[in-house]
Structures are given as structure tokens and as C-alpha cells.
Amino acid sequence: MSSLRVPLLLAVLLSVALCQYDDYDYRPVNMLGPSGPNCHVECDCPIGFPTAMYCDSRKLKSFPVVPTGIKYLYLQNNQIDEIKAGVLDNVTAELRWLIMDNNLLTNSKVAKGTIDKLSALEKLYLSDNQLTEPIIPSSKALEELKIMNNKLTKFPSGQLNNKENLTSVNLQHNELTSEAVSGAFKGAKRLLSLDVSHNKLKKLPTGIPNSLEILYADYNDIDSVAGGYLNKLPALKYLRISHNKLVDSGIPAGVFNVSTLVELDLSFNKLQSIPEINEQLQQLYLQANEISKFDLMSFCKYVGPINYSHLKHLRLDGNNLTQASMPIESVNCLREASEILFNENS
């Protein structure tokens, strides 16, 4: 692809990656050592970090009984397919982290009174299992919920009603439909980040708290965005709807023209025109659509000393556009853009 660098601008494009990392992989230096006397025989409970029990990557097939005092429990990368009653009774009121990624859990084999009774849990990671619906603890302190790469087909409304500290929910790579998540997140009134990518949604989720700042819905079957949808999310900064089925008729006029958005990703859809955006938007991704016209009105209604687009990065490669499609007035409208990408050799 080739790039058009707007002259006389000092702005430098900063590629900001919103990275996620697994904080449970971090272990303090010099923490490893002999285990405490009450630790499960197949796990490690380092004396230097007595509130943690490490049972990860041990080929365990059963859930160990957890001794009193444990706050951080690591059980990822095992073959556990069942959580029997009683195994968490010693830590019901004190366990803060439960990490169970990459096991064989199914809903039918998680006994009542185990995960659902944990009243102090802050992080629950259940990715890469075989769950068909979420298992939610009673804890009002829950901050982070990850249930990626499962078989979720439903997320019953009301399960997050008392989760006022919940800020992040990751549900990508499941089988959720729009109906399945309708109203599911309404109770999480401080939710900041929601990822429902790689599911079967036909529309963006509804009933989302107005605190949300990040919404990722890539790789679904979404063909439209409801008028006024973003007006109900006044804090939203990052919206990604790439690899869907968006068409012009499904994009109401001005639906993306909201001043809070920083990044908007509509790449790999079926759009034939550039949707209207707000002057405050900084990153716009429209590559791999069917756009054949560069309409400057999509970026700037008026151009003047204080009226211009703050767009810094615009991708239009993979469309029916060339650099020659840009009108001369683009230099003034897009004065802060450091790079605009078109097709290679265009």
C-alpha cells in the first residue's frame, strides 16, 4: 500500500496498542521455595507467598481441596472436568483470584455452592473450557470476568446485577447471539471494557451500562447499527466492528458522529461510502470495504481555524479509491493526519 503524508504537519502517528496480558503469569522473584504444611500435595504454596496456591500445569484431573488462608488459586492448564461440593469451603469468604483457564469444565459438573458461593472473588478466569453458560460468583467485589473460548450460548439477564465493581468482561470465541446477551450486562454499572468478538451477534449488544469505554464486536454477523446507539454510551472511546456484514443502509446518518470516540474500526465490511464521523475522532479504519468515493463531508462539515478533523490515522486500502480521489481541500480538513493509506501503487 502507499501512503499520503499531509505536508507541513508536525504531528507524529502514535500506534497505541491496547494490550492484554495474563497477570497471573507473574510470580515475584524469590517467591518459589518450600510449601507450607497445609498445601495440597500436588500444588505449591510458597512460604514466601503463603496466600497463593500454584496448581497450574500439573496434569490434574480433579479439583484440589483448598486450605484456609489461600487468596490466589492457580489451576490453569490442567485436565479438571469437575468441581465437587466442599473443595472451596475453606476459602468461600477469602478467595480473591480463581484462574482455571484451559481445563475441561462443563456446567453440569460444577457443584452448587462452589464458584457461585465465593463472596470475595475479584478475578475469575474460565477461558478454554466447555461451558455453555457463565458461572458467576456471589462476590460484589468481582472486577474481571474472562470466559473466552468456551461454548457459551446464553448469558441470562440479571447475573451481573450486583457487580458494581466489575470493569472488564471478555466473552470472545463463543456462540452467543444478540438475544442471548440482551440485558446481560445492565447490572455492571461500572463496566469499562466488553469484548464479544467471534460470536454470532447480528446486532451490537443492548442494555450496556453508560460507563463503557471499550466495545469490541469483531467477527460477528452484524449488518447494521441502531440509530442513537452510541448516544446511550456517552463514555465510549474505542469501538471495533470489523469483519462483519455492515452495509450503507444499516448505518443511519450521523450514528458515529459522537465526540467521545477516539478509535472506530469498520474494516472488512461491505460499506460503499465513508460514514459521517465526528471531528474529534483520531483513528478510523475502513480498509477492505467497497468504498469508491472520497466524500470530504464525512470528515468536515465546515473548515476553518477551529473547525477541522483531528483524525491522525486513516486506512482506506482495499477499497476502490486512489490518492487522486482526495479533493484539494482535504489538506485543510485533515490537517492533523500524519498518514492516510490507500491501495499499493494507487
Side-chain angles (χ1 to χ4, degrees):
M1 72 187 75
S2 61
S3 63
L4 172 64
R5 297 186 180 276
V6 181
L8 304 179
L9 295 179
L10 297 177
V12 177
L13 177 64
L14 297 178
S15 297
V16 179
L18 294 177
C19 300
Q20 291 184 336
Y21 61 92
D22 292 323
D23 47 9
Y24 60 77
D25 283 337
Y26 170 72
R27 302 186 185 186
V29 177
N30 299 324
M31 188 188 71
L32 298 179
S35 289
N38 297 323
C39 194
H40 189 275
V41 65
E42 295 183 273
C43 303
D44 291 315
C45 306
I47 292 177
F49 194 43
T51 57
M53 188 162 90
Y54 290 95
C55 311
D56 53 304
S57 306
R58 310 296 168 98
K59 297 182 179 180
L60 298 182
K61 294 185 177 181
S62 60
F63 197 108
V65 175
V66 184
T68 301
I70 296 301
K71 296 181 180 180
Y72 308 98
L73 179 57
Y74 303 87
L75 284 162
Q76 69 272 19
N77 304 324
N78 281 296
Q79 300 168 24
I80 300 170
D81 64 357
E82 184 176 15
I83 303 180
K84 294 182 178 180
V87 294
L88 289 168
D89 283 359
N90 293 326
V91 292
T92 297
E94 56 189 323
L95 192 66
R96 295 180 183 175
W97 292 14
L98 176 56
I99 313 301
M100 287 206 68
D101 294 340
N102 195 22
N103 277 282
L104 303 171
L105 288 179
T106 58
N107 289 86
S108 62
K109 289 192 174 182
V110 178
K112 291 184 178 179
T114 54
I115 291 179
D116 57 302
K117 292 296 183 181
L118 297 174
S119 60
L121 206 65
E122 298 171 357
K123 295 181 184 292
L124 177 59
Y125 294 179
L126 295 171
S127 298
D128 296 284
N129 279 281
Q130 298 177 19
L131 301 174
T132 55
E133 61 181 290
I135 301 170
I136 307 297
S138 61
S139 175
K140 294 182 179 180
L142 189 67
E143 298 174 357
E144 189 172 0
L145 177 66
K146 289 187 178 183
I147 316 180
M148 304 176 288
N149 293 293
N150 275 269
K151 299 178 180 180
L152 299 184
T153 58
K154 54 185 175 180
F155 199 121
S157 180
Q159 291 205 0
L160 301 180
N161 278 354
N162 64 345
K163 303 298 183 286
E164 295 186 358
N165 289 302
L166 185 62
T167 58
S168 177
V169 175
N170 291 74
L171 300 173
Q172 54 265 46
H173 290 279
N174 279 288
E175 301 173 19
L176 294 167
T177 63
S178 298
E179 294 75 18
V181 298
S182 178
F185 315 108
K186 189 178 299 184
K189 297 183 179 179
R190 296 183 184 177
L191 191 64
L192 298 178
S193 175
L194 174 62
D195 194 335
V196 288
S197 301
H198 293 271
N199 276 282
K200 297 181 178 180
L201 305 183
K202 292 188 177 181
K203 60 182 180 180
L204 291 171
T206 57
I208 299 176
N210 59 16
S211 58
L212 198 74
E213 296 183 1
I214 301 171
L215 175 57
Y216 294 162
D218 307 303
Y219 292 92
N220 279 283
D221 297 319
I222 300 168
D223 61 5
S224 63
V225 178
Y229 182 87
L230 272 67
N231 293 330
K232 298 176 183 178
L233 299 173
L236 193 66
K237 297 179 180 178
Y238 303 92
L239 176 61
R240 296 182 182 176
I241 324 176
S242 72
H243 294 271
N244 275 279
K245 299 178 180 179
L246 290 173
V247 293
D248 286 8
S249 60
I251 307 297
V255 70
F256 298 123
N257 188 2
V258 293
S259 61
T260 58
L261 273 186
V262 173
E263 175 186 286
L264 176 61
D265 188 349
L266 303 175
S267 61
F268 294 90
N269 279 285
K270 298 180 179 180
L271 299 176
Q272 295 182 328
S273 60
I274 301 173
E276 176 187 348
I277 62 169
N278 191 271
E279 292 179 351
Q280 300 304 314
L281 190 72
Q282 297 181 20
Q283 313 287 337
L284 178 60
Y285 302 98
L286 287 166
Q287 68 269 28
N289 275 279
E290 301 171 5
I291 300 170
S292 57
K293 180 183 178 181
F294 193 101
D295 189 350
L296 201 59
M297 290 291 287
S298 297
F299 306 96
C300 297
K301 297 294 184 185
Y302 309 98
V303 178
I306 61 174
N307 298 109
Y308 56 89
S309 172
H310 293 270
L311 205 63
K312 300 186 185 321
H313 190 196
L314 172 61
R315 287 196 63 172
L316 288 166
D317 45 305
N319 285 284
N320 302 316
L321 290 171
T322 65
Q323 291 184 11
S325 304
M326 294 184 64
I328 297 176
E329 296 84 357
S330 299
V331 174
N332 289 324
C333 169
L334 300 173
R335 66 185 69 173
E336 289 197 358
S338 60
E339 194 167 48
I340 301 174
L341 302 181
F342 288 94
N343 292 338
E344 189 173 345
N345 299 322
S346 64

